[in-house]
Amino acid sequence: FFFQAEDGIRDFCLSRGLGDVYKRQLLEVLDPSQNNSFVDHYLSVPFDLSKVVFIATANKLETIQPALLDRLEVITIPGYTFNEKFDIARRYLVPKAINENGLPPNSIEVTTEALSSTINNYTREAGVRELGRVISTICRKVAVRYSEHLSSKSQQPFETVHVTNEILHEYLGPAAYEFDVRERIVHPGVSTGLAWTSAGGKILYVETSISRGKGKIEITGQLGEVMKESVLTAIGWIKSNFENLGISNDLLTLPNQDPSNFFDSVDIHIHFPSAAIPKDGPSAGVTITTALVSLLTNRKVNSNVAMTGEISLKGIVLPVGGIKEKTIAAHTAGIRTVILPKRNKKDLVDIPEEVKKDINFVFASHVSEVLECALEKKEDPTPENQLEDARNRMNNINRLSKL
């Protein structure tokens, strides 16, 4: 028996008005000590379900009742890598779309570059459902040309349409998604994290800013309670290690600024872009800490580095889940250095070889190791750089003193 729904067993359990009834029935049906004599309440006839295999799907385990989840054997199916998507599209999705749109088998030839662009720039998913729809859109555009050719009653055979990047842009319009990691990490105070979602891994940015104030901490981006606690934990660690972090002189020399009472005289704003999407979980702890230290020390985060991991108040980097999905997301975005908790090293066995060979993994047990890898090194200043730094410092002081 197969539960087929948008979110499978979750929707089956949460159906409006019948949720409790379904839950009780499922608990009885899936319990091997009871389902050998299950009685249907409509027919009032007992059934032996002990030999029946029930298969259900779900996008989120968190919403399934614990008692019900305890009766299930959970098989986690991770998202596809780029190479896997490419092979599926080339071998299955393209021929299927050609056939479904009534085109001859050799009427379309999608170039390698165009298919790669379709995967990277027009879809963003763990599976290939959206990719199949996009390929069907391309085939429908070609089908129009094919029908016009048939209507013209031309004696010439229909010429194969070679789908290139130019034709792709003509058929699908501007790219729906772009990898803008390097464009986003251009100033201190911004870091790149890795998040797990029900649709696979994704890139998560953390942006921070500072201004004169009264010690207010502003957090935006539709965060859950766990993520807000990660922000407070990161700030707590930074406060306890304030003297060892090398805080920028631009901040310590503000007018009327008491360096010993720094955090009571500034306001810090921490923002998570894509504010319309809810975010929660502890794995952004190291990302938040890195963004804040980058802001306070005026050292830019390396744009080729992404990270994930929970931190404690003592700066210990704790293990998190979803390592495979997060690593695949980093690889897809072109990131080549990933910082992971040291205790997650065992999870590398789950990562595909084509992903592992392109990524340099750095395993950290303490947040200081994360900062050492993620923050760009300070160069020895030349006289010209010292003059430019002095000018920038004065501009920053004037700007911040007016806030």
Side-chain angles (χ1 to χ4, degrees), residues 195-215:
W196 180 92
T197 70
S198 57
K202 66 174 294 184
I203 298 295
L204 175 72
Y205 296 103
V206 178
E207 300 176 348
T208 60
S209 66
I210 191 169
S211 60
R212 291 191 63 188
K214 298 181 180 180

Side-chain angles (χ1 to χ4, degrees), residues 1-12:
F1 186 81
F2 185 74
F3 293 104
Q4 181 65 41
E6 180 66 23
D7 198 4
I9 196 170
R10 172 182 176 272
D11 287 347
F12 194 72

Side-chain angles (χ1 to χ4, degrees), residues 77-151:
I77 302 177
Y80 294 121
T81 65
F82 169 82
N83 290 342
E84 290 170 338
K85 289 182 180 181
F86 188 92
D87 288 340
I88 292 172
R90 177 73 78 191
R91 298 181 182 182
Y92 176 70
L93 296 180
V94 172
K96 177 186 176 185
I98 291 174
N99 179 65
E100 289 180 346
N101 287 278
L103 293 168
N106 298 322
S107 58
I108 298 179
E109 181 180 329
V110 184
T111 65
T112 299
E113 294 77 12
L115 188 55
S116 300
S117 180
T118 302
I119 296 171
N120 289 329
N121 300 329
Y122 292 92
T123 64
R124 189 65 56 87
E125 58 181 344
V128 293
R129 184 178 298 172
E130 182 64 23
L131 178 59
R133 284 195 285 261
V134 172
I135 291 174
S136 292
T137 299
I138 297 172
C139 290
R140 285 194 294 271
K141 299 285 186 179
V142 177
V144 173
R145 296 175 57 174
Y146 181 65
S147 62
E148 292 173 349
H149 173 79
L150 295 180
S151 300

Side-chain angles (χ1 to χ4, degrees), residues 166-227:
E166 291 74 17
I167 292 181
L168 198 67
H169 188 272
E170 176 186 345
Y171 286 174
L172 301 178
Y177 305 97
E178 293 182 353
F179 297 111
D180 57 349
V181 176
R182 287 171 176 80
E183 288 75 11
R184 297 289 287 270
I185 312 295
V186 294
H187 300 291
V190 183
S191 61
T192 306
L194 299 171
W196 180 92
T197 70
S198 57
K202 66 174 294 184
I203 298 295
L204 175 72
Y205 296 103
V206 178
E207 300 176 348
T208 60
S209 66
I210 191 169
S211 60
R212 291 191 63 188
K214 298 181 180 180
K216 182 180 178 181
I217 305 297
E218 187 75 25
I219 306 172
T220 55
Q222 198 175 164
L223 308 184
E225 291 300 320
V226 176
M227 214 161 188

